[in-house]
Amino acid sequence: MKIRTILAFAAAPAALAVALLGSGTTAHAAVTPATRTLVTNEHHVTDTTSVPTGKMDPSGGGPIWAYDDLSRIVTVTPDAQAAGSYDVSISTVGYAHPFDNPITGKAWHPKNDNVYMLGSIRYVVTPPAGVHPVSHLPVWTSGSYRSGGVLNEAFGLPRDSSALVHQAGDAHYSFTYFGVPGAPNGGLYSQVG
C-alpha cells in the first residue's frame, strides 16, 4: 500500500510535465530570465580624486591618489519596466594602497598604510539584439578596467564598447574609504555621483 502511494506522488509531477509539453505550451515562455551574479577580481586599479596629486590617470579619470586591489560582484537583473533592458549593480570591496591623500593631494604617510574601501555603481542598460549577460566573468580582470569596462564584460562586449544603450541618469555611484587622514567622521572619505 505504501509503495502505491509513493508511486502516485512521484507520477504526479511527471504527468503535469507531459500535460504541459503535450499541450503545445512551452514552460519557459512565461518565465522571466533569472538574475545573474558574476564575480571578478582586479589588481592595481587606478583610483582617482579631484585634487592635483602629480600623477594623472592615462584614461582621463583625473589625478591618481592610490592603486586598488579589489573584488567586483556584478548583479544583472532583467528590468521590470523595459523589456530587453537590464538593471546592473556592481559592488566593489577591497583595499586602496595610497601614495597621496585624496583630500589634500599631499604625500600619504605612512607609506605602507592600506585603506579599506567599498562601493557600488548602478546602471540600467539595453544591449544590442542577440547580446545577453554572460554566465561568468574571468577570475581576474585587467586592472585597467573601470566599472564601465566590467559592465561591458558582463555582456561579453569589449571593455571600451559603446554598444550598450544607457538609460538617462544611470551610473549612480558611491564609494567609501575608511581611515583617510583629514576626512570627517573618523576618516570616512566618500566619492558620490
Side-chain angles (χ1 to χ4, degrees):
M1 192 85 146
K2 288 183 182 178
I3 292 191
R4 285 187 189 154
T5 305
I6 292 170
L7 289 174
F9 281 119
L16 178 60
V18 168
L20 285 173
L21 292 173
S23 69
T25 304
T26 56
H28 64 276
V31 176
T32 303
T35 295
R36 293 196 180 187
T37 302
L38 314 167
V39 179
T40 191
N41 302 284
E42 293 178 86
H43 173 69
H44 207 68
V45 178
T46 58
D47 206 331
T48 59
T49 185
S50 58
V51 298
T53 62
K55 192 170 204 171
M56 293 298 289
D57 181 19
S59 67
I64 303 170
W65 69 279
Y67 291 102
D68 301 342
D69 292 328
L70 45 88
S71 295
R72 296 196 196 258
I73 301 99
V74 182
T75 306
V76 183
T77 306
D79 186 84
Q81 282 77 41
S85 292
Y86 293 88
D87 299 322
V88 182
S89 172
I90 301 177
S91 299
T92 302
V93 62
Y95 290 94
H97 307 289
F99 54 85
D100 284 331
N101 186 304
I103 298 169
T104 65
K106 305 286 186 218
W108 185 274
H109 294 291
K111 289 287 186 192
N112 61 351
D113 269 358
N114 293 322
V115 174
Y116 181 71
M117 51 102 52
L118 59 88
S120 66
I121 187 165
R122 302 185 69 83
Y123 299 94
V124 181
V125 295
T126 305
V131 174
H132 304 285
V134 297
S135 60
H136 66 282
L137 289 172
V139 173
W140 289 98
T141 297
S142 170
S144 64
Y145 279 36
R146 310 301 283 182
S147 296
V150 174
L151 171 68
N152 281 327
E153 192 174 41
F155 285 87
L157 299 168
R159 171 184 69 187
D160 297 324
S161 174
S162 60
L164 293 174
V165 176
H166 292 257
Q167 284 191 9
D170 80 339
H172 295 288
Y173 65 89
S174 174
F175 286 86
T176 301
Y177 302 81
F178 301 86
V180 174
N185 302 317
L188 293 180
Y189 170 64
S190 295
Q191 297 176 340
V192 180

